[in-house]
Amino acid sequence: MAPDHAPARDDLLTAVLASPAAVAAKDRAGWLALFTPEAVVADPVGSRPHVGLAAIGRFHDTFIAPNTITFQPDADIVTGRTVLRDLAITIRMSTGATVRVPMHLRYDLVWHEDSWRIAQLAAHWEFAPMVLRLLGTGPRGLGAGTLLGGQLLTNLGPGGALGMLGAVRGVGARGRRSAQRVLRGAADGEAAELAGVATELPSGRVRPAEFAAYLRGATVSKVLAAGRTVTASVRLGDRPAVAVVEFAGHRVSTLRLIAE
């Protein structure tokens, strides 16, 4: 039976932190048990999502099992039934090539059977820059890329491999620049860049001028374009937050701030 009260922050965070622990332990079964049967994994956002435990298992076999992955968290934000992790991961490939990937990880949780489980995982990170960093490590990186291509075809099939290319398409560098301009304008207390943008604070939908007043003086860093979305790390004094910028075509349509 589901709890009759709002989930405690520590309960949700404990459920989420079990994921990197299972990855570090190479515990495939334990990792999959953290998800609901119909869970969705979008990793990275913009690629074809993996839906259901069988598909998520194939994702694990392709991207997690062959590698050693360590997590370096900067902040964990818990709001409602969502945990948003501002972090980087370091991936050591089977060839020895190592690459660091900045990201924002969003976990949406639900109560399933007897525990909080992950219903959706959205990993916001930049696919093309990661590939370039990997190839920049030299022969080991090239070897890792070649092996990954084979694993994609073996585990995900041609359709799944093509689905990963969706991560290359999206708003890209142009969208990143647009998001930076809007966010830094808001941090300067200027609402002009927010004209026509739907703005949302943790308290709910607000007018652009109110959003800019709230964000005044904030620092903006780690701006990442993934698919049709740009995310950015935000600091409101000593409070961490993450901005989520969504696009309609090449125009910023929605700006949402996620914070506790």
Side-chain angles (χ1 to χ4, degrees), residues 226-250:
R228 307 292 308 168
T229 305
V230 173
T231 55
S233 301
V234 176
R235 281 276 171 178
L236 303 161
D238 61 353
R239 290 176 57 213
V242 171
V244 180
V245 186
E246 298 173 355
F247 285 76
H250 296 297

Side-chain angles (χ1 to χ4, degrees), residues 67-85:
N67 306 314
T68 300
I69 302 173
T70 56
F71 291 67
Q72 298 93 39
D74 292 319
D76 291 319
I77 300 164
V78 183
T79 176
R81 298 183 178 187
T82 295
V83 177
L84 204 156
R85 308 202 74 198

Side-chain angles (χ1 to χ4, degrees), residues 158-225:
L162 286 173
M164 283 299 297
L165 296 180
V168 180
R169 299 188 296 270
V171 298
R174 179 176 178 175
R176 191 190 312 112
R177 289 192 296 269
S178 295
Q180 286 175 320
R181 184 175 64 250
V182 168
L183 286 167
R184 286 172 180 161
D188 289 338
E190 299 293 335
E193 292 286 354
L194 298 175
V197 177
T199 47
E200 184 177 325
L201 292 173
S203 58
R205 182 80 174 266
V206 297
R207 297 188 305 275
E210 187 177 347
F211 188 96
Y214 188 92
L215 216 67
R216 182 189 292 273
T219 59
V220 178
S221 61
K222 199 166 83 174
V223 184
L224 305 172

Side-chain angles (χ1 to χ4, degrees), residues 146-174:
T146 301
L147 286 173
L148 178 58
Q151 290 160 352
L152 276 168
L153 289 171
T154 299
N155 296 326
L156 304 183
L162 286 173
M164 283 299 297
L165 296 180
V168 180
R169 299 188 296 270
V171 298
R174 179 176 178 175

Side-chain angles (χ1 to χ4, degrees), residues 38-117:
E38 302 82 18
V40 178
V41 171
D43 189 350
V45 168
S47 62
R48 181 183 299 176
H50 307 274
V51 182
L53 292 181
I56 294 171
R58 291 191 291 271
F59 166 84
H60 176 281
D61 296 342
T62 305
F63 298 103
I64 297 177
N67 306 314
T68 300
I69 302 173
T70 56
F71 291 67
Q72 298 93 39
D74 292 319
D76 291 319
I77 300 164
V78 183
T79 176
R81 298 183 178 187
T82 295
V83 177
L84 204 156
R85 308 202 74 198
D86 184 347
L87 48 70
I89 66 171
T90 298
I91 309 171
R92 181 176 175 82
M93 308 290 187
S94 58
T95 61
T98 300
V99 62
R100 186 174 185 271
V101 185
M103 63 174 58
H104 300 110
L105 276 178
R106 174 174 177 148
Y107 299 81
D108 294 309
L109 296 104
V110 298
W111 184 264
H112 179 77
E113 294 182 346
D114 59 354
S115 61
W116 291 104
R117 299 194 195 183

